[in-house]
Amino acid sequence: MRAVVYRGRASRPAGCAEAVGALLERHGLQVRFVGRRQLTPEVLASADVYAQPGGGTLAAGWRHLRGRRYVIRDYVAGGGRYLGFCLGGYLAGATPGFALLPGDTDRYAGSPGAATDDTGDLVLPVSWRGRPRRVFFQDGPLFLLDPGVVAGADVEILARYPEGGVAALACPFGAGRVAVAGPHPEAGPDWFTDAGLPVPDPLPTDLGHDLIDEVLA
């Protein structure tokens, strides 16, 4: 299977796209990195999954990628798959974003009841499929579901933040599928050590593989 991974201005700082690409390669996919100008219907048509990695702010990311909104939406609606991490999760929302979710996104840090108001690098506890795990987190999104959306029927909730907000989910969009995470389950041990943080044991990259399995389901 083949994955197209965005690597451009919206994925800075360096390392975000590469970590996602490495995770996909370990999952057995062939990876191609592309910039904004290469995000065309023809390129996406060659991919089994399109991955949007983390990066800078939503405002900056949207400024670089808003011109590709309908290219990405049409790809997923026609049977493609969208995989988003952190900024990629924000961009799956609607205000602004590609509008691929049955709801929207908001900043988790400082949200009502949130376990942190820190937008810097930290190790955050989440409940992933009901099991406590510790993941790398850096100002990731909270996923807000529209009224009437039914968990388990309309959307698969994979992870929740400590107070219960949605931290990762998978859902259909048209004939395609979307899987997004607010934290960074793709983070290698260097992400933690470079930030002066303890490396969780076990390393949560298995959660990244679970996210890939969900989008490929």
Side-chain angles (χ1 to χ4, degrees):
M1 302 187 77
R2 293 168 291 185
V4 165
V5 179
Y6 172 84
R7 181 169 61 184
R9 292 184 179 181
S11 64
R12 295 176 181 173
C16 293
E18 290 80 5
V20 170
L23 181 72
L24 286 160
E25 287 181 339
R26 290 195 299 272
H27 207 80
L29 282 80
Q30 298 177 10
V31 171
R32 175 184 178 184
F33 292 102
V34 301
R36 177 179 59 84
R37 293 183 179 179
Q38 296 168 292
L39 273 179
T40 65
E42 294 75 20
V43 168
L44 288 178
S46 71
D48 295 291
V49 59
Y50 169 68
Q52 187 72 54
T57 66
L58 175 58
W62 182 241
R63 187 165 60 249
H64 292 303
L65 289 168
R66 61 187 177 188
R68 295 297 184 264
R69 182 178 193 261
Y70 291 105
V71 172
I72 292 170
R73 279 177 58 84
D74 289 349
Y75 160 73
V76 182
R81 301 172 179 94
Y82 178 95
L83 181 66
F85 299 84
C86 194
L87 176 60
Y90 276 116
L91 287 168
T95 56
F98 306 134
L100 300 173
L101 303 175
D104 206 349
T105 66
D106 200 358
R107 168 177 273 170
Y108 173 70
S111 63
T116 183
D117 57 6
D118 187 352
T119 59
D121 300 337
L122 55 93
V123 178
L124 189 71
V126 299
S127 174
W128 194 287
R129 295 194 187 271
R131 301 181 66 181
R133 298 296 299 270
R134 297 177 66 81
V135 293
F136 189 94
F137 182 83
Q138 201 272 334
D139 201 14
L142 168 68
F143 300 102
L144 307 173
L145 303 180
D146 287 336
V149 172
V150 179
D154 304 316
V155 61
E156 181 76 15
I157 296 176
L158 305 178
R160 292 187 180 274
Y161 292 114
E163 83 298 338
V166 179
L169 64 83
C171 64
F173 180 79
R177 191 158 175 83
V178 176
V180 289
H184 286 277
E186 79 281 17
D190 56 313
W191 285 44
F192 296 90
T193 55
D194 288 351
L197 299 170
V199 180
D201 183 18
L203 195 68
T205 49
D206 61 305
L207 309 182
H209 290 292
D210 187 29
L211 196 70
I212 295 171
D213 282 336
E214 277 295 331
V215 83
L216 295 178

